[in-house]
Amino acid sequence: MPDPMRIRATIHDDQATVRVLMSHEMETGQRKDAAGTVIPAHFIQSVVATHNGRPVFRAEWGPAVSKNPYLQFQFGGAKVGDKIQITWVDNKGETRTDEVVIR
Amino acid sequence: MDGRRESRREALKAIGLVTVLAAVPRHALGQMAGAAAPGIQWNAAAFNAQTVDDALKALGAGTPTPTTDVSWGTTPEIAENGAVVPVSVTSKIPGTEAIAILIEKNPNKLAANFSFPQGTVPALSTRVKMSESSMVHALVKTKDNKYFLASREIKVTLGGCGG
């Protein structure tokens, strides 16, 4: 099971700002190990964020996103106590979903 | 005699070809980001594109209109570490539905594609890897399927490709 994400959601007026830090190698498939063998690509391909179940943000990623990816986005119509859920899926089909309540 | 020389040439050609073929898959493997994990939406053609034009084509953008209605926020002009280049993009174009980030000198040009449903601010911050100093493009897609391209150069002191 991959490590949990760190999600922070703050609210200003009715606009929520969400900051996410994911824990992932984001291996490009370009690097070689000491023996010269190519290290296979392993990276997050899809990120979906929902606000009380409604999709508010979606991302498709290639291997050029940095290791332990950081993401920030904003959406309207949010209030304190609302739930934000974020799911990522990587190219090996591993996935992780975490949830946070806006405060 | 002539025949033998001919066959020697053929043999050499064949060896040459084998060498090329042996070199290609490794190169291709290194370049190819690969296929999508099952059940998710991932534009493999765009992510595997080796040129900016091919990536734009795969995204359906064709020839996007140049624009300056994109703010780069805290994106630096000079990044010290190519492995972690902060990129921040806000589109001021009405009806923005998606923003893609393309890095001209990376092996795979498309780094990321973000989409914003109604109610979401067309803005994002993330961090990307850059192999060397390069032009970075933000491709904005609007609701009525128009495409705009904003560009900016980011200089990298230390490339993000190595160990």
Side-chain angles (χ1 to χ4, degrees), chain A residues 26 56 58 60-61 64 66 70, chain B residues 42 83 113 115 119-120 126 129:
Chain A
M26 298 302 285
V56 285
R58 221 174 60 76
E60 282 173 58
W61 284 352
S66 298
Y70 169 78
Chain B
W42 195 71
N113 193 4
S115 41
T120 300
T126 188
K129 293 171 212 160

Side-chain angles (χ1 to χ4, degrees), chain B residues 22-77:
Chain B
V24 162
R26 185 188 289 176
H27 184 68
L29 277 178
Q31 301 277 310
M32 292 274 286
I40 66 161
Q41 196 182 331
W42 195 71
N43 190 338
F47 279 104
N48 290 331
Q50 305 289 301
T51 67
V52 171
D53 282 350
D54 284 352
L56 291 177
K57 212 182 285 169
L59 288 165
T63 312
T65 316
T67 182
T68 50
D69 280 343
V70 163
S71 124
W72 291 89
T74 53
T75 310
E77 278 176 25

Side-chain angles (χ1 to χ4, degrees), chain A residues 2-99:
Chain A
D3 287 338
M5 286 175 243
R6 281 161 57 190
I7 309 172
R8 225 174 56 198
T10 53
I11 198 154
H12 192 76
D13 298 328
D14 78 332
Q15 191 156 302
T17 302
V18 184
R19 293 182 183 85
V20 194
L21 199 55
M22 304 168 201
S23 173
H24 202 283
E25 266 314 300
M26 298 302 285
E27 192 59 62
T28 57
Q30 311 264 356
R31 298 197 309 151
K32 289 175 185 158
D33 63 15
T37 341
V38 173
I39 306 170
H42 186 205
F43 58 96
I44 295 176
Q45 289 184 314
S46 157
V47 182
V48 177
T50 59
H51 165 230
N52 290 342
R54 181 183 70 98
V56 285
F57 186 83
R58 221 174 60 76
E60 282 173 58
W61 284 352
V65 172
S66 298
K67 177 178 174 171
N68 297 332
Y70 169 78
L71 188 60
Q72 182 187 324
F73 60 91
Q74 291 155 291
F75 64 90
K79 56 185 190 307
V80 173
D82 286 357
K83 249 185 219 165
I84 292 170
Q85 197 177 61
I86 296 171
T87 300
W88 61 249
V89 183
D90 71 20
N91 64 325
K92 293 184 180 171
E94 281 172 25
T95 179
R96 168 99 214 173
T97 300
D98 287 287
E99 203 175 75

